[in-house]
Amino acid sequence: DVKVTQSSRYLVKRTGEKVFLECVQDMDHENMFWYRQDPGLGLRLIYFSYDVKMKEKGDIPEGYSVSREKKERFSLILESASTNQTSMYLCATFLTGLHYGYTFGSGTRLTVV
Amino acid sequence: GENVEQHPSTLSVQEGDSAVIKCTYSDSASNYFPWYKQELGKRPQLIIDIRSNVGEKKDQRIAVTLNKTAKHFSLHITETQPEDSAVYFCAASITDYKLSFGAGTTVTVRA
């Protein structure tokens, strides 16, 4: 089975801090994604990457940036955390073939205080 | 960008009854429509998908229908069981991998 691992399950940060959320996949997949999940809003795409050093903005990129220096790792960066960025963050990779579709990580619940 | 609306936001059904969730999309170029199920405390998982060249697809107790003209698609769950209780998300995409999700439907199956 493909594994998508997010480094932290729960995170509490202070307003104004720079926050790094890490995601690692154990297959050689090009496409990786960061979503945030909020009640009543579903999953909203922040950024995605289709190859090393390649990135593209999603629907809500403001206040975020990403880094993909190696194929297996995709990092989401909150440049200056704010309380409205308190959310569940989900990383995903996209698979083709037998297990077509997204494989999500277990999520990071970030609280900004 | 693509806008996906999903209804209802919550759905409570008696065990054994059917459940139907409906989604509409805005971009007529969308051609891939997956459904994800998220059980409490777990990650979303793909349960079924349909492409725009197909009107209906079934997999055991679940089915999805697509009306391209009206730009809406639906998930049907028959003979609901307690393990069907979860949040269900519809999504639409032009590219397959860049998905726009609906807001989700919380389904509760009453014993």
Side-chain angles (χ1 to χ4, degrees):
Chain A
D1 279 355
V2 175
K3 285 186 179 175
V4 179
T5 303
Q6 294 184 232
S7 54
S8 303
R9 187 78 173 102
Y10 298 95
L11 214 50
V12 180
K13 295 292 181 180
R14 294 196 180 276
T15 300
E17 277 193 77
K18 190 169 186 176
V19 181
F20 293 85
L21 303 183
E22 305 289 343
C23 177
V24 177
Q25 49 128 337
D26 65 350
M27 297 293 285
D28 197 32
H29 297 123
E30 286 82 16
N31 297 302
M32 297 187 73
F33 307 82
W34 276 106
Y35 283 87
R36 65 177 280 177
Q37 182 176 8
D38 300 289
L41 296 177
L43 286 75
R44 293 179 291 166
L45 181 63
I46 305 170
Y47 266 98
F48 70 100
S49 170
Y50 47 91
D51 206 346
V52 175
K53 296 190 185 295
M54 307 301 283
K55 60 186 178 183
E56 192 166 323
K57 292 179 180 179
D59 299 319
I60 52 164
E62 297 79 18
Y64 304 94
S65 62
V66 290
S67 173
R68 192 160 182 205
E69 297 296 318
K70 294 184 178 181
K71 201 167 192 177
E72 67 270 20
R73 186 180 297 271
F74 190 36
S75 303
L76 180 69
I77 304 160
L78 285 66
E79 297 291 344
S80 177
S82 64
T83 54
N84 63 12
Q85 292 178 309
T86 291
S87 186
M88 170 67 83
Y89 290 87
L90 288 166
C91 175
T93 184
F94 180 79
L95 307 178
T96 57
L98 184 60
H99 300 290
Y100 194 87
Y102 277 9
T103 292
F104 285 92
S106 54
T108 297
R109 182 162 295 282
L110 172 68
T111 302
V112 182
V113 297
Chain B
E2 174 67 275
N3 181 45
V4 179
E5 294 190 355
Q6 183 172 349
H7 300 279
S9 57
T10 60
L11 182 60
S12 180
V13 296
Q14 191 70 36
E15 184 176 356
D17 287 351
S18 295
V20 180
I21 303 169
K22 298 181 179 181
C23 291
T24 60
Y25 59 99
S26 60
D27 192 338
S28 56
S30 289
N31 57 15
Y32 176 62
F33 307 92
W35 287 86
Y36 283 80
K37 175 184 179 182
Q38 186 177 29
E39 297 176 6
L40 190 63
K42 297 189 176 181
R43 66 196 76 186
Q45 291 195 307
L46 177 69
I47 55 170
I48 195 168
D49 57 14
I50 193 169
R51 296 194 177 277
S52 58
N53 59 347
V54 176
E56 184 175 1
K57 184 176 179 180
K58 289 183 180 179
D59 183 2
Q60 299 182 339
R61 294 186 298 107
I62 60 173
V64 58
T65 57
L66 171 66
N67 183 327
K68 283 193 299 181
T69 304
K71 291 192 283 189
H72 69 71
F73 56 113
S74 301
L75 179 72
H76 304 253
I77 308 172
T78 59
E79 300 172 17
T80 53
Q81 300 170 6
E83 54 264 37
D84 295 329
S85 294
V87 180
Y88 292 81
F89 294 98
C90 63
S93 175
I94 301 171
T95 61
D96 272 22
Y97 57 84
K98 187 182 174 186
L99 299 179
S100 294
F101 285 88
T105 297
T106 300
V107 173
T108 303
V109 180
R110 305 187 307 272

